[in-house]
């Protein structure tokens, strides 16, 4: 298994391009199941989760062509299998995103029930409740969710809590349903809006995406389309924090500051200089960092996917900050690894109290989930000495060539393959 070796202490400087968003690519790929015409997606990040979703679509019967610029064309005219097997779903929970499209266009789906994972129990009850309200018959057999429906029908659905993939799954299902669906308390994440834009290009009739109320008027069929995936705001945020943490000066291109308002505001509050231009963000440190308090929240709040990285920044700031995780009940697995590097963090339920100012010292650490691994890389960049991170397959799920991009900014970082 690959490891990443980081020798800390070098300020990051230079310019790097941001990749397309993982969490917009996965639902857009699933959307290809809604039509028998080819869907062409560009600005696709080269990631393990994307490969897993392509593998899943392939075993459903999709024909996939990848061009030299990593654009992907998916042709779902010959779907012969509506089962998403355990072996794929257990490596990527977002596989559940094929459920809505398969039910809507093929009338059946059999998806391995995603289990818990390193960040919490993560049930899919709200996805299933919504599909049932649209007329699907859902049963659970031998660890598989089995769904059947002749034609889904429009419904008014109110989510108990904000769910990103739940909103996406039901929005896709509703595109081919009979009549109007209204999703209330829907997720407002930019990735939901990006999916709606893609679906509307395919002939869907979706209004209100990006707000808490989404209205979808079902159509008989969708057609092929071309769509460029929006920039990855979590990759952007991770590199912004890395720049601040190492006292560097980094410009991120091919991104969109308008979808990063909460992280940009927090970094400014921490004393970081952030300059926004269209498609570009420059981040540099100018004076000492100040500890901040923050609470994760659904968009437009501070994203849970940047919580671990921000925790490292606070540990290197003056003063004490509290970081409250409100989305996932167990998303603090990185804390014990960061403590091994010398970070002064105390956990009190879903609140991490971070005492800043202490020096981080390199040590061997283990990645537990995607964003946790990113926080360990960041901590390694700020630490004195060598940090050896194992189980880096987690990071390959969601960051495109992270060590190459950091190396290009001057980091002393290497992948050790064995
Ligand atoms: N929840 C339920 N029932 C459901 C669905 C969700 O109780 O049916 C709960 C979850 O357990 C959680 C909360 O609702 O406590 C929010 O979960 P959500 O459904 O929004 O998460 P998700 O859709 O599974 C997506 C991203 C995550 C990101 C979260 C929150 C994708 C593929 N994944 O997950 O991304 O953390 O939204 O923003 O879009 C990552 O990229 O590292 C990652 C984990």
């Amino acid at each position: 298994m690959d490891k990443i070796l980081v020798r800390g202490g070098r300020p990051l400087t230079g310019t790097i391009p941001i990749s397309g968003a993982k969490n917009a690519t996965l639902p857009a790929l699933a959307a290809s199941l809604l039509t028998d015409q080819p869907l062409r997606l560009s600005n696709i990040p080269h990631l393990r989760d994307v490969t897993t979703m392509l593998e899943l679509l392939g075993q459903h019967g999709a024909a996939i062509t990848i061009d030299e610029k990593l654009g992907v064309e998916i042709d779902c005219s010959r779907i012969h299998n509506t089962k998403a097997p355990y072996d794929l779903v257990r490596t990527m929970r977002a596989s559940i995103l094929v459920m809505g499209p398969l039910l809507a266009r093929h009338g059946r789906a059999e998806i391995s029930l995603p289990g818990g994972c390193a960040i919490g129990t993560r049930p899919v009850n709200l996805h299933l409740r919504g599909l049932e309200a649209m007329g699907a018959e859902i049963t659970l057999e031998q660890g598989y969710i089995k769904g059947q429906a002749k034609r889904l029908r429009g419904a008014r659905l109110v989510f108990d809590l904000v769910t990103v993939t739940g909103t996406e799954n039901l929005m896709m299902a509703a595109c081919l349903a009979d009549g109007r669906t209204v999703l209330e308390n829907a997720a407002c994440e930019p990735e939901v809006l990006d999916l709606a834009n893609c679906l509307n290009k395919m002939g869907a009739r979706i209004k209100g995406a990006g707000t808490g109320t989404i209205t979808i008027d079902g159509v008989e069929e969708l057609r092929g389309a071309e769509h460029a995936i929006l920039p990855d705001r979590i990759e952007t945020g991770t590199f912004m924090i890395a720049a601040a943490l190492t006292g560097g000066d980094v410009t991120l291109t091919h991104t969109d500051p308008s979808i990063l308002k909460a992280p940009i505001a927090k970094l400014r509050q921490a004393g970081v200089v952030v300059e926004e231009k269209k498609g570009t963000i420059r981040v540099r440190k100018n004076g000492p960092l100040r500890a901040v308090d923050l609470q994760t929240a659904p968009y437009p709040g501070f994203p849970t996917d940047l919580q671990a990285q921000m925790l490292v920044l606070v540990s290197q700031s003056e003063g004490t900050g509290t970081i409250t995780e409100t989305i996932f009940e167990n998303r603090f697995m990185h804390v014990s690894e960061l403590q091994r590097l010398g970070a002064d963090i105390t956990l009190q339920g879903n609140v991490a109290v971070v005492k800043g100012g202490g020096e981080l010292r390199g040590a061997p650490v283990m990645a537990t989930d995607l964003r946790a691994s990113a926080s360990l890389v960041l901590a390694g960049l700020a630490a004195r000495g060598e940090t050896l991170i194992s189980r880096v397959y987690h990071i390959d799920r969601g960051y495109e060539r992270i060590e190459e991009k950091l190396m290009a900014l001057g980091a002393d970082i290497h992948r050790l393959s064995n």
Side-chain angles (χ1 to χ4, degrees):
M1 266 190 276
D2 288 4
K3 293 183 177 164
I4 287 183
L5 179 67
V6 192
R7 291 190 194 90
R10 291 198 190 180
L12 301 184
T13 52
T15 301
I16 45 154
I18 291 300
S19 302
K22 165 179 88 76
N23 289 347
T25 303
L26 299 176
L29 287 170
S32 66
L33 288 164
L34 288 165
T35 172
D36 61 2
Q37 295 179 13
L39 176 64
R40 282 188 64 81
L41 299 173
S42 57
N43 202 29
I44 299 273
H46 189 207
L47 301 172
R48 204 165 62 98
D49 273 8
V50 171
T51 314
T52 306
M53 184 58 95
L54 289 172
E55 205 179 317
L56 181 58
L57 294 174
Q59 65 89 47
H60 288 316
I64 296 160
T65 321
I66 301 181
D67 67 28
E68 67 286 353
K69 286 185 178 158
L70 283 179
V72 179
E73 182 175 290
I74 314 112
D75 175 347
C76 290
S77 55
R78 290 196 189 85
I79 295 304
H80 54 70
N81 171 12
T82 52
K83 185 168 176 173
Y86 175 69
D87 278 350
L88 284 175
V89 179
R90 83 185 160 84
T91 63
M92 189 185 67
R93 303 176 45 83
S95 310
I96 189 74
L97 283 166
V98 299
M99 178 122 197
L102 283 174
L103 267 176
R105 183 163 154 246
H106 299 280
R108 54 193 309 127
E110 202 179 328
I111 317 288
S112 174
L113 183 66
C117 70
I119 61 176
T121 52
R122 299 184 78 183
V124 290
N125 57 319
L126 302 176
H127 301 232
L128 304 184
R129 196 189 295 166
L131 292 168
E132 277 178 330
M134 296 173 79
E137 196 183 301
I138 308 275
T139 53
L140 185 65
E141 287 170 40
Q142 293 164 336
Y144 278 80
I145 310 162
K146 287 194 178 175
Q148 279 197 49
K150 277 218 173 66
R151 184 176 181 195
L152 295 172
R153 51 173 193 273
R156 177 171 283 271
L157 307 168
V158 185
F159 289 103
D160 287 353
L161 46 86
V162 175
T163 160
V164 177
T165 50
T167 301
E168 292 164 346
N169 224 345
L170 296 178
M171 189 167 78
M172 289 191 280
C175 287
L176 293 180
D178 185 14
R180 173 171 285 193
T181 299
V182 180
L183 304 177
E184 306 260 23
N185 197 25
C188 303
E189 267 66 5
E191 294 75 20
V192 174
L193 176 58
D194 198 54
L195 174 65
N197 290 340
C198 175
L199 292 165
N200 282 340
K201 287 177 194 165
M202 295 165 71
R205 292 172 60 203
I206 304 172
K207 287 199 183 118
T211 76
T213 304
I214 305 179
T215 305
I216 307 113
D217 285 311
V219 296
E220 293 290 329
E221 54 179 29
L222 295 181
R223 54 178 183 267
E226 288 191 20
H227 181 70
I229 299 292
L230 91 166
D232 196 314
R233 64 196 165 97
I234 306 302
E235 189 197 23
T236 308
T238 302
F239 279 102
M240 287 169 67
I241 296 169
L245 194 58
T246 59
D249 183 348
V250 170
T251 299
L252 306 166
T253 62
H254 299 78
T255 186
D256 180 358
S258 75
I259 56 175
L260 278 137
K261 288 198 176 118
I264 288 174
K266 248 329 137 186
L267 285 175
R268 285 189 176 137
Q269 199 186 328
V272 181
V273 182
V274 183
E275 290 164 25
E276 305 169 43
K277 280 200 198 119
K278 198 170 180 291
T280 301
I281 304 177
R282 180 179 174 198
V283 183
R284 61 199 158 87
K285 193 176 143 196
N286 185 14
L289 296 168
R290 293 185 293 272
V292 289
D293 298 325
L294 72 87
Q295 187 162 337
T296 62
Y299 190 84
F302 192 92
T304 172
D305 290 345
L306 285 175
Q307 175 257 104
Q309 300 88 315
M310 201 61 191
L311 214 141
V312 179
L313 190 79
V314 177
S315 81
Q316 297 304 288
S317 304
E318 286 178 0
T320 298
T322 57
I323 298 205
T324 308
E325 173 58 53
T326 72
I327 308 289
F328 293 110
E329 71 271 25
N330 191 26
R331 206 173 201 181
F332 277 129
M333 299 283 275
H334 41 285
V335 166
S336 48
E337 297 303 301
L338 293 172
Q339 284 167 337
R340 290 176 46 70
L341 299 174
D344 187 342
I345 307 169
T346 315
L347 274 185
Q348 296 168 359
N350 68 335
V351 181
V353 180
V354 189
K355 218 164 137 207
E359 190 188 48
L360 296 177
R361 291 171 305 277
V365 287
M366 200 157 70
T368 49
D369 74 71
L370 168 55
R371 308 304 170 187
S373 7
S375 78
L376 298 178
V377 171
L378 297 195
L381 293 172
R384 189 154 55 86
E386 286 189 357
T387 300
L388 183 64
I389 304 158
S390 53
R391 301 207 178 157
V392 297
Y393 54 85
H394 288 292
I395 209 162
D396 296 332
R397 292 187 48 199
Y399 289 91
E400 184 170 342
R401 300 179 293 111
I402 193 166
E403 73 279 10
E404 284 178 36
K405 287 190 180 182
L406 287 170
M407 222 187 282
L409 294 174
D412 187 346
I413 182 168
H414 300 277
R415 179 177 290 254
L416 311 176
S417 300
N418 52 13

